[in-house]
Amino acid sequence: MREPKEIMSALDPTTHSTMRIYHVGIGQRFVLCDNWFSSVPGETWPNRNFAVAATSNGEVNIKTKFYSNKTIFEELAKNGHTWQIYQDGPAQLWSFYKLWFLKNGGFRSFSKFKEDVKNDKLNNFVFIEPKHFPLFGYTNNMHAGNNSRIVIPISNPQKI
């Protein structure tokens, strides 16, 4: 269980730019919820597995292994729709090995996301994987306790 002071530790209270992104960039443009209902009463990866495969295989904790479950990406491809997983570091969805060979989509570096948006080249369905592991310098997944500093990939939050 996390300590209360860790919950918002991904946000830097000494700067207003991070909160401005949430308030102006997201809060005033999109519908936000004030309650979160996860599919699995557990950690992030079982919930991500449930989000893409409609099951966590009964897991509530992170288990590093390969999964053979059918995913939403297979259903999209089967029905002629395109998909893309943008990853900022190693992707947790690599654990679904069937995605390695699936047509109509694939894995792409998050550094290409902005370019694809600008050029109107997004696929029908997009899933974004944050940088999960701090051993690559920092994480950007907004989890409490594993961000010594937050890096927001927006060059000028004042222009949101």
Side-chain angles (χ1 to χ4, degrees), residues 37-146:
F37 302 96
S38 66
S39 301
V40 178
E43 296 181 322
T44 300
W45 286 15
N47 274 285
R48 285 177 166 271
N49 290 358
F50 200 94
V52 299
T55 182
S56 70
N57 291 14
E59 301 291 346
V60 294
N61 297 312
I62 295 172
K63 299 280 184 181
T64 305
K65 63 181 184 177
F66 290 109
Y67 297 95
S68 61
N69 307 88
K70 183 185 269 188
T71 66
I72 188 172
F73 306 104
E74 292 162 88
E75 287 298 311
L76 289 162
K78 182 174 84 176
N79 289 287
H81 299 289
T82 60
W83 59 276
Q84 192 72 59
I85 299 168
Y86 290 92
Q87 64 196 62
D88 194 9
Q92 183 258 336
L93 290 180
W94 285 347
S95 62
F96 288 88
Y97 64 87
K98 292 178 185 177
L99 298 180
W100 304 348
F101 311 103
L102 191 59
K103 303 293 182 206
N104 286 9
F107 293 88
R108 190 163 164 85
S109 171
F110 184 74
S111 64
K112 301 292 184 183
F113 179 70
K114 185 175 180 179
E115 175 184 325
D116 288 351
V117 170
K118 181 179 179 180
N119 295 322
D120 197 25
K121 292 193 177 200
L122 288 180
N123 287 352
N124 298 129
F125 183 83
V126 169
F127 193 90
I128 297 174
E129 287 264 20
K131 188 176 287 189
H132 296 285
F133 306 104
L135 34 120
F136 297 102
Y138 66 92
T139 65
N140 58 9
N141 61 28
M142 305 302 287
H143 278 75
N146 66 341

